[in-house]
Amino acid sequence: RRCGDQVTPDQYPKKPIHFSNNTSSDEVSSSSSSKRSEQFELKELIRYRKTMDASIKAWRAANSNETEIVQRYEAIKPKYDRHAYAVKQCVNNVEALGLMHKDRKEQYHNMKVCITQQLNTEFRYVMRQQAHDGYLDVNFESGKLALKVWMASHDRLRGQAGQSDTAVQVVDSKTLSGGEKSFTQIALIMALQKFCG
């Protein structure tokens, strides 16, 4: 009680990675399955402490000259500072490149949105000259362009059939007549020409 609370085997320190135990393979296999296999036993802890004390004493004996230690430190410190500065510069460059890459991705996305909007504006302007309408959906990743149109002739047919005028009639370019398809293609070419200047 005077020495404090009792230390149980579960509270023993864990073995370091470089620790080697001189037990047989059977003992190692049986002990590895238990929870205490990663922890010191009392005898192992005493032996390991003696080994570490001997290593510390040997290091102190080999490095007892304070002047030599200071000289080695002063010789190594400039090299360390140079390498630390180089590593810091490399990290700063990587972070700067990451920010540049993120900014360019945002600019590229904004450019795609702007291109799509301008193409749609020019295409709709030409289509509305004949009371038609439509829009373009540009897929930059796949390199495809989806074309949807509203044709005035389809609206008239829809009115004759008694359908609501508020209903939106979206027509695929494959279902257009010859003249409607030609006009739509010309509108697309004119929009591209005007967009490209």
Side-chain angles (χ1 to χ4, degrees):
R1 292 180 181 277
R2 293 181 181 178
C3 297
D5 296 334
Q6 181 180 1
V7 179
T8 62
D10 292 338
Q11 295 174 330
Y12 287 171
K14 293 185 178 181
K15 299 175 185 179
I17 298 175
H18 61 273
F19 179 78
S20 61
N21 192 0
N22 296 324
T23 57
S24 63
S25 59
D26 296 336
E27 293 175 350
V28 171
S29 60
S30 62
S31 62
S32 61
S33 61
S34 64
K35 182 178 180 181
R36 295 179 54 189
S37 62
E38 297 181 356
Q39 294 176 324
F40 280 107
E41 295 182 0
L42 184 57
K43 294 181 180 180
E44 293 174 339
L45 184 59
I46 294 173
R47 186 171 68 251
Y48 184 70
R49 179 179 177 181
K50 291 180 179 180
T51 303
M52 295 302 298
D53 288 341
S55 299
I56 292 172
K57 289 179 180 179
W59 184 87
R60 287 178 176 174
N63 298 276
S64 59
N65 190 344
E66 296 181 0
T67 304
E68 182 181 354
I69 294 174
V70 172
Q71 290 176 352
R72 290 170 57 189
Y73 170 79
E74 292 178 349
I76 294 174
K77 186 65 165 58
K79 296 180 181 179
Y80 171 80
D81 291 339
R82 289 196 299 270
H83 286 293
Y85 177 77
V87 170
K88 185 178 180 180
Q89 290 294 108
C90 181
V91 171
N92 292 336
N93 291 337
V94 170
E95 291 177 351
L97 287 174
L99 293 175
M100 290 175 59
H101 182 256
K102 182 179 179 181
D103 183 64
R104 288 191 177 187
K105 286 181 66 177
E106 292 179 355
Q107 291 181 0
Y108 178 64
H109 175 72
N110 295 334
M111 180 193 69
K112 292 190 293 185
V113 173
C114 182
I115 288 174
T116 304
Q117 291 177 347
Q118 291 184 8
L119 278 176
N120 272 291
T121 300
E122 299 298 338
F123 178 71
R124 295 186 68 188
Y125 175 78
V126 178
M127 291 290 291
R128 289 186 175 185
Q129 300 300 313
Q130 297 295 326
H132 307 313
D133 202 351
Y135 69 92
L136 304 173
D137 185 12
V138 185
N139 192 327
F140 292 89
E141 284 70 24
S142 62
K144 295 182 179 181
L145 185 146
L147 177 64
K148 298 291 183 180
V149 295
W150 293 266
M151 305 305 295
S153 59
H154 291 257
D155 289 338
R156 288 193 294 270
L157 292 175
R158 182 185 58 194
Q160 294 175 3
Q163 298 181 6
S164 174
D165 293 339
T166 58
V168 178
Q169 179 71 22
V170 181
V171 181
D172 196 320
S173 60
K174 295 180 181 179
T175 64
L176 297 176
S177 64
E180 292 173 342
K181 186 176 295 186
S182 299
F183 180 79
T184 303
Q185 292 174 349
I186 292 173
L188 176 61
I189 294 173
M190 292 179 66
L192 291 171
Q193 283 182 336
K194 193 167 184 181
F195 173 77
C196 296

